[in-house]
Amino acid sequence: MQQRLLGRRAYAETLQAMVDFTARRTPDTEDELWLVEHDPVFTQGIAGRAQHVLAPGDIPVVQSNRGGQVTYHGPGQVVAYPLVDLRRLRMYVKEYVYRLEQAVLKVLEAHGVTGHRVAGAPGIYVRLDDPFGHAALAGPRPADDPFRGLGKIAALGIKVSNHCSYHGVALNVAMDLSPFERIDPCGYAGLRTIDLATLGVQADWQTVAGQLGQRLQSQLSP
C-alpha cells in the first residue's frame, strides 16, 4: 500500500480524485492510503437528512456518496482515506470497518487515551469523565441516550464500488470544535464531539497522521 501525505486540501477536489482513482483502477492497481487535512466543510452522507444540518452559516455543505449522516471536517483533524480492493484483501465490509476502528484505537492508546466502540454507531468514542481509564463500557447503553457520558473523537464513513473502498475515517486532534454544534453529528442530536487537545493530549497533526497511517497500513496489509 502506497501512502500519500496530501496535507491541506479542499474536500470536493479530494472526493473527485477518490472517485476518479476508484473508477480507473484495475485488479492490479496498488492500494493507496491518502492522509489529508480539509478546509472547513460539512459533508452529508448519501442518506443524510437535511434536518441534521442545523445552522451551517458560512461553512459549505457538500453532498457526498459515502454512508452515514452529516459530519464536519476542518483544520486540526486527520482524515485518512484508504483506497483498497477488499476482494484482494479477502475482507468483507464489516471486518474492514472493524479494522479502521482498530487502527484509531491503537493510535489513541499510544497517547494514553482509551477509545470505545458503541454498537450500531460506527466511529470511536471516549469517556468524558475518564478518558484515560481502562474500564470497558459495561452492558447496553441507555436507550434514551446511548451516548451519555461519551464524546466522539473519530467518525467513519465509507463507500464500496466494485469491491473497492474509498472515503474512510477522521480523527480529531486539535480542532475548533464549535462547528459540530451547528449539526447533529452523524445524525445524533446532542452528541458531543471531542479532540485530543481537549483531553489534554498535546500532539501535532503531522505526528498523528503518521501514527494513523502506520496503523492503517498494518491493519490493511494482505
Side-chain angles (χ1 to χ4, degrees):
M1 178 186 290
Q2 180 184 352
Q3 276 196 48
R4 296 178 59 195
L5 196 63
L6 301 182
R8 185 83 166 262
R9 296 287 179 95
Y11 178 80
E13 73 174 52
T14 310
L15 171 59
Q16 189 60 54
M18 286 192 290
V19 171
D20 293 344
F21 176 91
T22 303
R24 67 173 179 262
R25 67 180 299 165
T26 72
D28 298 320
T29 301
E30 183 182 4
D31 291 340
E32 293 193 5
L33 173 61
W34 298 359
L35 296 158
V36 62
E37 181 181 33
H38 286 309
D39 298 327
V41 63
F42 295 116
T43 71
Q44 184 69 285
I46 197 166
R49 298 178 181 176
Q51 64 262 36
H52 294 308
V53 183
L54 309 177
D58 58 348
I59 299 177
V61 180
V62 176
Q63 184 64 46
S64 169
N65 62 348
R66 62 164 172 78
Q69 298 281 334
V70 67
T71 193
Y72 170 72
H73 296 307
Q77 180 189 64
V78 175
V79 187
Y81 294 129
L83 309 174
V84 298
D85 185 333
L86 294 177
R87 179 161 50 189
R88 191 164 61 201
L89 291 176
R90 298 180 180 179
M91 195 178 296
Y92 291 106
V93 170
K94 186 175 181 180
E95 181 182 354
Y96 175 63
V97 169
Y98 180 89
R99 291 189 180 212
L100 295 184
E101 292 177 337
Q102 193 66 20
V104 173
L105 290 172
K106 289 298 183 181
V107 173
L108 294 178
E109 184 181 295
H111 293 279
V113 175
T114 301
H116 302 274
R117 293 180 173 92
V118 173
I124 296 298
Y125 305 79
V126 297
R127 291 180 184 271
L128 296 174
D129 63 344
D130 188 15
F132 305 102
H134 299 298
L137 294 182
R141 302 297 299 162
D144 60 331
D145 184 7
F147 305 104
R148 186 181 303 164
L150 300 179
K152 190 166 192 174
I153 198 165
L156 189 151
I158 65 169
K159 169 73 174 177
V160 178
S161 176
N162 294 323
H163 307 284
C164 293
S165 180
Y166 57 106
H167 293 287
V169 61
L171 174 58
N172 304 335
V173 180
M175 306 178 68
D176 172 8
L177 295 170
S178 63
F180 285 104
E181 298 171 8
R182 304 191 201 178
I183 60 174
D184 294 331
C186 304
Y188 298 106
L191 172 60
R192 184 172 171 190
T193 54
I194 199 76
D195 62 6
L196 286 172
T198 305
L199 298 177
V201 174
Q202 301 305 311
D204 61 85
W205 187 93
Q206 203 87 8
T207 297
V208 178
Q211 292 171 327
L212 184 57
Q214 183 181 44
R215 289 296 185 180
L216 284 168
Q217 195 149 9
S218 175
Q219 288 291 329
L220 300 176
S221 294

